[in-house]
Amino acid sequence: MFLKQVILKNFKSFKGKNIIDFPAVITGIVGPNGSGKSNIVDAIRWALGEQSFKNIRIDKGQDLIYAGNSNEGGASFCEVELIFDNQKKLFNSDFTEISILRRIDKEGNNEYFINHKAARLKDIIDLTASAKIGLKGFSIINQGSVENVLLAPPQERRLMLEEVLGLKNLELKKEEAKRKLEEANINLDKTIALEKEILPRLRFLKRQVDRWEKRETLENELKEKEKIYFISLLDQLLSEEKYQPQDFINLRNKLSKLDSLIKERENNLITVKENKSKDLELKIKNITQEIINLQDEKSELLRELGRKETKAEVDYSLIDFKNAIIKIKNVLTNLLKINEISEIHKKIEELLKDINQLLIPKKEEINNNEIEELKKKINSLQEQLKEKNNLLEQNETVLNQSNINFREEYDKITQLRNQKEEILKLIQKQELEKERYNLKLNDLKRRINEAGYQFDEINEYYQKNKTQVLAPNELNELERHIFRLTRELAEMGVRDENVIKEYEEVNTRYEFLSHQIEDLEKSINDLKLLIKTLTKEIENSFNEAISNINYDFNRYFRLMFNGGSAKLEQIKKNKTVLEEGENKAEVKEESQNLNDVYWGVEIKIDIPKTNLKSLEILSGGEKTLVAIALLFAIINQSRPPLVIVDEIDVALDEDNSRRFAQILKELCHDTQFIAITHNRMIMAAAQILYGVTLKDNSSQLLSIKLEGSEAILK
Ligand code: ATP
């Protein structure tokens, strides 16, 4: 069986624990009025999550708890547990047995349990809906509610049908989707409002930031131009530079070499001059003096000799002349004796020779000792003079040579000094150039620093970007460009980091909101699609079910009324109530198909042999017949696993009671029935009967197994 057991604890008239087993497909519950039969139905209804006090005939929750009698007090809580078989997986659960338990205490604490685990009402509703035993359906039909299906407005009737047809789950899904759609729409509106709220601020900040972004571009451009400008100036400076450090060093080296050379030579010169020359000059002077002395002495001696010799010569000449005359007289006398001319000639020549001989003084002949002495002295002086002169000449030669060397050396030193002078001039020139270069370089460095750069940075840039160097004639244009950029930047104002930060924050927020809007729009579209799909699915299932129900409704109706006809008819209403989430544009677009909405269900009947078509004018019994025909047609279509009927048969006459019992039997193959009844026909249809009596204000249960019950009851 589907419902295997109901366990009541202190529920209404049932004191303590009462277990009711349901081993048969049709169970009858019988007993006198007020014995507590309907309390069993209330218990099942309550355990399935009933929220209406009216439907379980109480004024307040505590009315459900056994109240006791004059002898004993009431209970403090009550509990109802329903135990279902789930081997056929009628419940959407993997358990093979499902226990649904509800409990309330005097304090008003109300709890639900599924398989003894705490659950929410929603869980109970979902679970029972999945097994088609939800309270909105027709699982529990009592005397009052049997006609509800007739009296209910068309929309309500549609809901009942949906529940019983198992479309409840789809409806719940659809409701959930609608709820989500509504939430999404609210969120979308809120998000759009937030986005709109920050948009003007964002625009303002963006304009500002865009300007500064342009500033960044301009600053970068300016930096680039300035760097090119400075490296061009640097290049110009370096190419113009006349100061060559290497030359400078070479010159300095040369100078120091020259200096030491000059010094060395000067030292030499002084030494030579001071020592050698002085000695030599003194020597020459002395020799000269000696020579003068010797010459004086010689002159004196010569004069002396002259005097002596003159005297001797005169003496000697006079002797010679007399001899010569005698000789000439002899020769001439002899000549007169010679005839031969050649002999004469020869004799004359000899005479002349002799005369000449006579004319040459013969000093030796006139020497005397004094003269000889003088001559010796003179000769010795002469020798000495000769020596001294030689010595003088030698010394003078040395002195002269020394002077020449000195001069030469001196000239050389002068030459070196001139060279030094030249080098000094060059060095001075180089120093000047260096000074000039340094001045220019310092000026360039100052300008570079003033522009906010380091010289090293520019130099490095120069080394890497020599190809970008501009020619001097191109620099004017570059200067103008730099000036333009600087002015433009000055006009732009200074970048405010707080504004940038605020822009980033607002922009992030805006992007977040935009994404959220996108997400929401997407989920709204998804939800709309889901709602549309579910609507269509429900619609299709519903249409099909209605047409099936109508077949049985008409059949049962004709059975009970002996003819006539009955049917359910869906009311097509203009879509005045729009599906939530579908905006008007969409409705308009699809109005050809969806303008008419199956909004409710009406019952159309045609009572045989009369023209009666309205339900209102039917008798109570007739209404019950129509209701039973419809309910059982629905049950036949939806095949709920459990139907509880509580004295819905009271208004039936014997024939109709038999027909009703026949229908029950017809349907009990798929549906378990619990029937509370006073009707003998229905009792006869049951396989098991529970008898309920009231003793000491509490209900007592008695089960009666019926075999061939119909015979027994007869
Ligand atoms: P009928 O055949 O007339 O419909 P019934 O057998 O269905 O009667 P119920 O309506 O189920 O009878 O039971 C009503 C009885 O339950 C009354 O006697 C009432 O006093 C009793 N009852 C209801 N609530 C409580 C309660 N909380 N404690 C004790 N008894 C209660």
Side-chain angles (χ1 to χ4, degrees), residues 12-13 32-39 57 63-67 647 678 694 697:
K12 282 198 172 181
S13 56
N33 290 131
S35 60
K37 303 183 293 296
S38 294
N39 288 344
R57 303 174 302 147
D63 292 345
L64 295 171
I65 303 169
Y66 174 66
E647 296 190 43
H678 295 287
L694 199 69
N697 222 23

Side-chain angles (χ1 to χ4, degrees), residues 256-361:
S256 90
K257 272 182 193 164
L258 270 177
D259 271 341
S260 52
L261 207 61
I262 289 169
K263 203 162 186 176
E264 198 184 314
R265 284 187 178 252
E266 276 178 348
N267 283 342
N268 274 343
L269 203 63
I270 289 162
T271 321
V272 168
K273 183 112 179 113
E274 275 184 358
N275 302 328
K276 216 173 172 180
S277 296
K278 272 184 183 170
D279 289 352
L280 210 59
E281 272 171 6
L282 191 66
K283 213 172 173 182
I284 288 170
K285 200 179 163 191
N286 291 338
I287 295 170
T288 311
Q289 193 56 53
E290 277 172 13
I291 289 172
I292 291 169
N293 292 342
L294 283 170
Q295 275 176 342
D296 285 351
E297 198 180 344
K298 186 188 160 190
S299 297
E300 192 53 42
L301 286 175
L302 277 173
R303 265 194 310 275
E304 178 76 16
L305 181 66
R307 272 192 313 272
K308 299 244 189 226
E309 274 188 338
T310 307
K311 192 176 171 278
E313 256 177 41
V314 170
D315 292 347
Y316 173 77
S317 298
L318 287 171
I319 301 159
D320 251 14
F321 192 67
K322 203 174 170 182
N323 291 341
I325 295 265
I326 296 163
K327 198 173 180 183
I328 291 168
K329 189 188 155 195
N330 294 337
V331 168
L332 283 170
T333 318
N334 290 334
L335 272 174
L336 287 165
K337 296 173 190 164
I338 307 169
N339 299 333
E340 207 97 48
I341 212 108
S342 59
E343 197 66 30
I344 300 164
H345 207 268
K346 197 179 166 187
K347 292 293 180 186
I348 293 168
E349 272 178 8
E350 282 172 5
L351 182 65
L352 281 169
K353 238 182 202 174
D354 289 339
I355 293 167
N356 281 344
Q357 207 58 44
L358 280 172
L359 288 173
I360 296 165

Side-chain angles (χ1 to χ4, degrees), residues 414-586:
T414 312
Q415 235 173 28
L416 287 173
R417 279 195 178 134
N418 287 342
Q419 273 181 35
K420 182 184 167 182
E421 213 43 45
E422 283 305 309
I423 287 172
L424 278 172
K425 270 185 202 163
L426 281 174
I427 286 176
Q428 204 175 16
K429 202 175 159 198
Q430 285 283 317
E431 273 173 347
L432 252 168
E433 290 299 341
K434 186 183 173 186
E435 194 59 31
R436 210 187 339 262
Y437 167 77
N438 280 340
L439 274 172
K440 279 188 181 176
L441 184 64
N442 285 340
D443 187 51
L444 180 61
K445 279 183 180 174
R446 183 185 52 76
R447 289 178 66 183
I448 286 170
N449 288 338
E450 275 174 7
Y453 303 95
Q454 295 295 319
F455 177 74
D456 289 348
E457 176 191 358
I458 295 296
N459 196 21
E460 197 180 322
Y461 190 76
Y462 172 63
Q463 302 303 334
K464 288 180 186 164
N465 301 281
K466 281 189 178 168
T467 50
Q468 292 196 45
V469 165
L470 296 181
N473 61 352
E474 293 170 312
L475 286 182
N476 279 349
E477 178 52 36
L478 182 61
E479 269 173 5
R480 276 198 293 279
H481 196 138
I482 288 171
F483 180 70
R484 267 203 308 278
L485 288 172
T486 315
R487 199 183 51 203
E488 227 174 300
L489 280 167
E491 282 166 3
M492 250 174 210
V494 186
R495 191 180 151 100
D496 184 342
E497 287 307 323
N498 287 332
V499 174
I500 305 265
K501 200 171 162 224
E502 191 191 344
Y503 167 72
E504 279 164 2
E505 281 167 8
V506 174
N507 194 36
T508 308
R509 172 109 182 102
Y510 182 79
E511 279 174 2
F512 171 76
L513 291 172
S514 298
H515 281 138
Q516 213 174 23
I517 288 170
E518 264 175 40
D519 289 350
L520 283 167
E521 281 171 348
K522 188 181 176 299
S523 67
I524 284 171
N525 283 338
D526 291 350
L527 285 167
K528 279 180 185 171
L529 191 69
L530 178 66
I531 290 167
K532 213 168 171 179
T533 312
L534 287 170
T535 306
K536 203 86 207 147
E537 202 179 325
I538 292 167
E539 214 62 61
N540 291 342
S541 303
F542 196 75
N543 286 347
E544 197 188 331
I546 290 290
S547 101
N548 291 339
I549 287 167
N550 276 343
Y551 173 78
D552 285 325
F553 183 26
N554 195 44
R555 190 161 65 87
Y556 294 146
F557 183 88
R558 288 176 65 81
L559 183 71
M560 291 186 171
F561 284 89
N562 283 320
S565 68
K567 66 172 178 181
L568 294 175
E569 203 174 86
Q570 297 189 55
I571 316 166
K572 293 179 181 179
K573 272 212 165 185
N574 266 355
K575 199 166 186 176
T576 46
V577 180
L578 297 175
E579 292 285 355
E580 287 173 57
E582 289 177 351
N583 63 37
K584 283 182 183 164
E586 278 175 340

